[in-house]
Structures are given as structure tokens and as C-alpha cells.
Amino acid sequence: QQQDAYMTYLIAAQQSLQALHDIKFVHASIIGQPRHYSVLITTMRTCLDHIEHIIHTHSPSPPRTIARPAPLSAQHTGDLKAPPPLPPKPSRMQKPILPPKPSEHRRPAHRPLTEFPDPVAIHIVAEGEVDPTYLVPAQTNAGDSLTPSHLAASDHVPLIPAPPLLTTHRNLQGQLDTLEQTLREYKARKQQHSTQRMSLETMTEDDLNQLILQCSRRVADIKQTLNRVRTLYMSAATIPTVMQFQAHIIAYQITLIESAIYTSIPPHALLEHTAKHPHPRIVASTDFFNYVTRFIEHAILLPQEVSSRAQHIHYWIKVASRCLDLNNYQTLKAIVSALGTPPVQRLRRTWAYIPKKSLVKLDSLNELLSEANNYGKYREHMGMVNVSVVHGKSISLIRAEHATRPTVPFLGTFIHDITYLLAAFKTHETNLPPEDEPRIHDVLLTMTQFQNGPRYTPVPSASYLKQSQKHYFRPALSNALQRGASGISRISGAGLFGFGSQASPPPERDEEEEGTLEEQQQMATQYILMRSWVAQSTVDELSALREQPVQKQGTPTTRSSSGVYPTGSVVSGASSVMRFSADSASLGTSTTGMSTNESRPTSAED
């Protein structure tokens, strides 16, 4: 009976230990917990206690290596009572050995290395969600570009979150390899047990068959999941253009990424962030801002046909409008900045095809996030002003409305305010820490309130989907764009970019072809995070190739600032927070000379 009990406890402990192998790590982050891990650990402890008691009770002599011996009497062991031995006296007194002082490690001035998270801080990320602390360099193999895929030595490659599908595939593949190795070991032990009939085998053949069956089922489940992940990955890799996704899906997925990055920024990072020592979490936010801006520029400039470029501009205006509905002002600023850069603004023939209704919408978004009066319109819209009433509406009511909804504020205003407030604080001699200064405290408190507010759900709400379907934009040519594209017949435009030379709208999709909403979200996130990072020179060359710039005789060609965060992803002062004022001219004025109001359509359906 003691032997059967010992083997039963041993098998139960081994099975619990094997079940604890079902865990997923990404560097120091746990992205998948074992099921019922607390019950498994409790079972192992109970089994080990019973095993220890059996060994200690039924051994001919007390074992010498028992970690926690149970109290036994002299009648059980036959030993006489004796005083316990005294510990040996130390030969000499020794001082405790102190660890060496850490050497000063100065981070590089251009950017911190944020690819690898802190090995001490372990946090759990839900399956399929973006990990804002696991950053990888953006892809640089611009295979779809018309220019060679090389980057200038001074061009900064941003660090962006790793695509969840790619991370999941690698984790599942590693788990599958481990399970297959374990399955092979079990089968080898079964073969050895059946041929040699070993009497010292701790597990019977039935136990081995049960373990083999369990491993085989888990291997089959992982292979099925891997095939689904590969299918989604390949589907996202073969999508020719971002307009294959609905605008509200792209807006929501970018919002989920931006929200994860924003909530991972500790408030004290604003106080530590400087040009020489940038904070990794702030760099992650500015890097993704620049990544989205360059992605939009390249997507607009890549098509050869004017009508295709106009479709992309109209599409991103739709995405910007959806970001406003989601209270995602960080991505909204990135989109209007990309549409206001010189490589996109100089496309005069392309802007002539944009409907008037879309231009009015873009002008209103530009006005909301304008730098005028230190982002005055945006601050009034967010309730971040030192007045009681704005446009007949109470500031407290405005703040309460934003506090009840998930929000990703524009990070540039926080960096701008803290930069100036810290500079003013350092001019006064005081013993107070900076965070206790009232105005600095208010800025940090506002940022914390947005971070601790409601979170975006993994799946868009029904109200958001219903509202977006009312203004669903299909990648079809409107009548205005058809008039411009009717005279253009290019084979490359039809073959490379998915738009035919006849400018005919694509056939309607049914629900089965579009797939589930979850799969669309996964493919959209994969598509966003797998875009190629192209050099600024490539963007300028594509812009000049698409439409020759109008240049006055004797005037040299110069390129002004691009309207994004600085290239080194460092935002430290007022002059380097954002640069839009010189180049972000109103689209209404920039397109006045392109076409008259009579020739411009009022909407995409006109």
C-alpha cells in the first residue's frame, strides 16, 4: 500500500509539473499563463509533503538530505535522546561582502535601446494584443518602392511594437517543438518498456499511453492554431493596399496600439526626458508617431495614377475622422501632419480631385490641432485651459465628458508644457521636488487621469460600428475621380496597385468573403506594423517623380521641415516639439488655384 501511495503521489506531481510547461514568454513578459496554475502548484506541494513523509517514515534509517524532516519520537527510530550538536565556531570575524557599485552607464544621445524590456519588471499581456514594451526596428526592405531600398546613414529607423501575429507564431512554434520532443521521449520509453520489460520503471505502460495521448492532442491543437495564424499572416502580407480595410477598422487598430503605448508611459518620464537622455517610453511614442506619418506619405505617393493617390488622401481623411470619434488625438495629429508635409502638399493635380466636403473636414481637423496660441483650439476642446467656461460650456463638464470615454491625448502638449515649466522651475532656488510645483503637478495629474480612465475594448463597440457603416468608404472611384482617370491607361497601375485602367468599381463583397471582425482586426494590425520604413530622400524622390514641382526660374529647390517629430525621436524644447507652422498651410488656400468651386465635387459620391 505504501508503494502504491508513493507512486500515485509521484505521478500526480509529475503531471502537475508537466502542465506548468504550458506557458508563453516574450523575453521577460508572460503572455500566456498555464490553466489553473494555482491548483497545480498546490497539488505539487501536497504530493511532495506526502512523498517526504513516506520516505522519512518507512526508511530503515533517517535520510540525511531531508529538507524539512517531520518530528519523530525515539520509539519510531530507536535512537537515544541526545542534545543537538552545536554549530561550529567561526574562525574569525568577517565583514559582510558588499556588492560592487554599479558603473555609470550613459545611454546614447541619439536614442535609448528600447528593443528589450526591463528584465525585472514582468507584466502579463493578453494573447493577440500589442506589447508596448517589446519593440523591434521597423522593416527597411521596401520591396514595393520604385527606388532602391537603401537608407541614408543619418536616417533614424523607428522602434515599433512587434506584430502580435508574428510573436504568437514564434511562441506557438517553440511550444510545438518542445511538445514534439516530449512526445518522442515518451514513445521511446514505451518502446524500451515493452522490449526490455524493465521492473524498475516508475510508470506503467498505461501511464505512458495516457501521457502520449495527452501530448498528441495538444500537438494537434497547436498545429491547428499555427495553421490559422499562418493563414492570417499570409493574407495580411498579400494585401496590396491599405484601402482593402475599412477606414474605421484601421482607425480602431491604430488606436489600440497608440493606447497601449500611451498607458505604458510613467508620468515621471516627462520629468526625466531630455534631449541628451531621452526616456524609452516617450521615444516609443514619438517613434510610432513618425512611423505612421511616413507610412501615410509612402502609401499616398506610391501609386502612379493621380486617381489612386486621390483615393488614398480621401481614405486617410476618413481614418482621421474616425480617430476623432475615438478620442485618439495622437494618431489624428499624425494623419493631418502627413497630409500637410511638402511631398504630399505639392501634388497639385492630386489635390484637385479631392471632394470639397473632404477638404472642409480636413480643414476643421487641422484647425483643431493647429499650433496657433499654443494649441489653443485643442486645449479648449480637451478642457485643458485655466478658465471656467469655453464657448458657453463649463470646463468641468468638458473634462467629465472626456473622463468617461477612452482617450489618447496628444503627447506633444504634455512634453511642451513640462519642458517650459521645468525650465522656469530651475531658475528658482527651492528645496521642493519638481513634481510638487503646482503647475507641474497639474500637468502630471491630467496625464495620469487619461491613463487611468476607461480602456478601449478589444472589439469595437456596436455603436461605433453602426456609426461607421453610415459613412463606409469603399475603394471605388467616384464620378469625379473617374473623369480624371478615364484618359489614363497604364498597365502598371492596373497590375501593381489593384486598380484597373477602366476605373470600374470593384464587385461587392459578401460577409463570408470579408471574414469575421476579429480576423479583420488581426490582419489590420499585422498590416500596419509590417509596413516598410523608407528614407526621407525616397519620399522626396517619389513626390518629384509623381508630379514635377513648379519651380520659378532661378529659384533653388529647398525642402522645408516635414511636420513630424524630430528625426532622432527626441522632443526636448519648444522649437523641437512639433514643426508645423511653416509648412502646414491650410488646404483650402493651397488648393484654391488647383480648381474652382464649380468644378470640384462636393462629396465622394458626386
Side-chain angles (χ1 to χ4, degrees):
Q1 294 179 355
Q2 297 298 331
Q3 181 180 359
D4 294 340
Y6 179 86
M7 297 304 301
T8 301
Y9 290 131
L10 184 62
I11 292 174
Q14 289 177 344
Q15 291 178 351
S16 300
L17 181 61
Q18 183 65 29
L20 288 175
H21 284 79
D22 189 12
I23 190 171
K24 300 176 183 179
F25 277 92
V26 175
H27 291 281
S29 301
I30 299 176
I31 65 173
Q33 295 180 354
R35 298 183 60 183
H36 310 296
Y37 68 93
S38 59
V39 178
L40 295 174
I41 294 176
T42 304
T43 303
M44 288 181 59
R45 289 172 179 170
T46 305
C47 292
L48 291 177
D49 289 339
H50 286 290
I51 290 173
E52 179 182 355
H53 180 71
I54 292 174
I55 293 176
H56 195 86
T57 304
H58 298 280
S59 298
S61 60
R64 299 179 180 177
T65 58
I66 296 296
R68 293 177 300 169
L72 299 176
S73 61
Q75 288 79 3
H76 288 92
T77 60
D79 296 337
L80 297 178
K81 293 183 178 180
L86 296 176
K89 295 182 179 180
S91 59
R92 58 187 179 92
M93 296 297 294
Q94 295 181 352
K95 294 182 179 180
I97 302 177
L98 298 177
K101 294 183 179 180
S103 59
E104 293 186 358
H105 175 67
R106 302 190 64 182
R107 285 179 286 186
H110 59 285
R111 66 172 183 184
L113 297 177
T114 54
E115 295 97 324
F116 306 102
D118 187 0
V120 179
I122 299 178
H123 61 282
I124 299 175
V125 180
E127 180 69 25
E129 294 187 4
V130 172
D131 185 358
T133 62
Y134 179 39
L135 307 179
V136 295
Q139 294 187 10
T140 55
N141 53 339
D144 56 350
S145 178
L146 301 181
T147 57
S149 59
H150 65 275
L151 290 174
S154 59
D155 197 17
H156 168 81
V157 179
L159 301 176
I160 61 175
L165 280 180
L166 188 60
T167 303
T168 303
H169 182 274
R170 291 176 179 174
N171 294 334
L172 289 176
Q173 188 63 48
Q175 187 176 358
L176 179 61
D177 295 340
T178 303
L179 281 176
E180 289 179 342
Q181 178 65 25
T182 304
L183 184 60
R184 286 192 294 267
E185 293 177 358
Y186 283 149
K187 290 181 178 179
R189 292 177 62 180
K190 178 183 177 181
Q191 183 69 20
Q192 186 179 9
H193 183 273
S194 60
T195 54
Q196 300 181 4
R197 299 292 179 181
M198 299 178 61
S199 59
L200 298 179
E201 180 66 46
T202 58
M203 288 188 293
T204 62
E205 187 173 356
D206 293 337
D207 296 333
L208 288 173
N209 290 333
Q210 184 69 18
L211 292 174
I212 291 174
L213 180 60
Q214 293 178 359
C215 284
S216 300
R217 290 176 179 175
R218 294 178 61 189
V219 167
D221 292 341
I222 292 179
K223 285 184 177 180
Q224 183 179 5
T225 307
L226 266 177
N227 291 333
R228 179 173 174 270
V229 171
R230 288 168 182 160
T231 301
L232 292 175
Y233 181 86
M234 295 304 298
S235 299
T238 55
I239 292 176
T241 173
V242 68
M243 290 193 301
Q244 295 296 318
F245 299 100
Q246 299 179 20
H248 65 275
I249 295 294
I250 291 294
Y252 199 84
Q253 295 311 112
I254 297 182
T255 299
L256 291 180
I257 300 173
E258 288 281 16
S259 177
I261 296 175
Y262 174 73
T263 54
S264 68
I265 301 175
H268 65 81
L270 295 175
L271 302 175
E272 301 174 0
H273 180 75
T274 60
K276 295 183 178 180
H277 301 285
H279 196 278
R281 299 273 62 83
I282 294 182
V283 172
S285 180
T286 56
D287 271 9
F288 189 73
F289 182 97
N290 294 337
Y291 173 80
V292 172
T293 304
R294 188 67 56 84
F295 161 41
I296 297 172
E297 286 182 288
H298 191 229
I300 294 173
L301 295 171
L302 194 60
Q304 295 185 11
E305 293 187 357
V306 177
S307 57
S308 298
R309 296 195 294 272
Q311 287 182 42
H312 278 81
I313 293 177
H314 182 65
Y315 176 85
W316 284 109
I317 296 175
K318 288 282 187 180
V319 175
S321 179
R322 300 284 80 80
C323 288
L324 179 61
D325 296 337
L326 293 169
N327 275 14
N328 179 10
Y329 301 96
Q330 180 78 358
T331 303
L332 176 58
K333 182 64 174 178
I335 295 175
V336 297
S337 300
L339 297 179
T341 54
V344 177
Q345 279 292 295
R346 69 165 62 107
L347 303 176
R348 296 182 176 274
R349 290 190 293 119
T350 302
W351 283 102
Y353 288 108
I354 303 301
K356 181 180 179 181
K357 184 177 180 180
S358 297
L359 289 179
V360 172
K361 183 64 177 179
L362 182 58
D363 285 339
S364 64
L365 298 177
N366 272 317
E367 183 181 2
L368 174 62
L369 290 171
S370 172
E371 288 183 345
N373 298 325
N374 191 14
Y375 294 96
K377 293 289 185 181
Y378 168 75
R379 294 179 186 273
E380 292 177 356
H381 177 78
M382 300 294 292
M384 299 165 55
V385 290
N386 295 325
V387 294
S388 58
V389 178
V390 174
H391 302 299
K393 196 172 184 180
S394 172
I395 287 295
S396 59
L397 180 61
I398 296 176
R399 294 177 179 177
E401 290 178 355
H402 286 286
T404 58
R405 296 182 55 193
T407 303
V408 181
F410 177 47
L411 187 63
T413 55
F414 294 113
I415 300 175
H416 178 275
D417 293 346
I418 291 296
T419 300
Y420 274 94
L421 291 176
L422 279 179
F425 177 79
K426 293 178 181 178
T427 59
H428 301 284
E429 295 182 0
T430 177
N431 296 327
L432 293 175
E435 55 269 19
D436 290 343
E437 202 274 335
R439 292 179 297 177
I440 295 179
H441 176 75
D442 291 342
V443 175
L444 299 180
L445 180 61
T446 303
M447 181 175 178
T448 305
Q449 289 175 347
F450 284 123
Q451 290 179 330
N452 297 334
R455 300 295 179 90
Y456 294 95
T457 58
V459 180
S461 62
S463 59
Y464 173 74
L465 293 175
K466 183 178 180 180
Q467 179 184 3
S468 301
Q469 291 295 337
K470 294 180 181 179
H471 307 284
Y472 174 53
F473 172 74
R474 294 185 177 87
L477 293 175
S478 63
N479 294 333
L481 300 184
Q482 289 180 15
R483 291 195 297 268
S486 59
I488 303 175
S489 177
R490 296 180 180 175
I491 299 178
S492 58
L496 290 178
F497 310 111
F499 300 101
S501 58
Q502 301 300 326
S504 58
E508 295 288 340
R509 299 180 182 177
D510 55 13
E511 295 180 358
E512 295 181 358
E513 292 180 354
E514 291 184 355
T516 63
L517 178 61
E518 180 183 1
E519 291 180 351
Q520 293 181 36
Q521 288 184 267
Q522 291 175 348
M523 287 193 296
T525 303
Q526 182 74 16
Y527 182 86
I528 292 169
L529 296 177
M530 293 294 287
R531 296 303 89 203
S532 297
W533 174 262
V534 295
Q536 185 63 63
S537 59
T538 302
V539 174
D540 293 335
E541 291 173 6
L542 277 174
S543 179
L545 181 64
R546 295 298 176 245
E547 297 184 23
Q548 295 295 329
V550 180
Q551 183 178 355
K552 297 181 180 180
Q553 187 175 2
T555 304
T557 302
T558 58
R559 188 187 189 283
S560 55
S561 59
S562 59
V564 297
Y565 282 110
T567 306
S569 297
V570 176
V571 185
S572 59
S575 62
S576 61
V577 173
M578 300 291 287
R579 298 197 296 268
F580 296 103
S581 57
D583 304 306
S584 299
S586 175
L587 292 179
T589 58
S590 63
T591 57
T592 303
M594 300 178 191
S595 61
T596 60
N597 294 334
E598 291 77 6
S599 62
R600 183 182 301 280
T602 58
S603 66
E605 289 76 15
D606 293 344

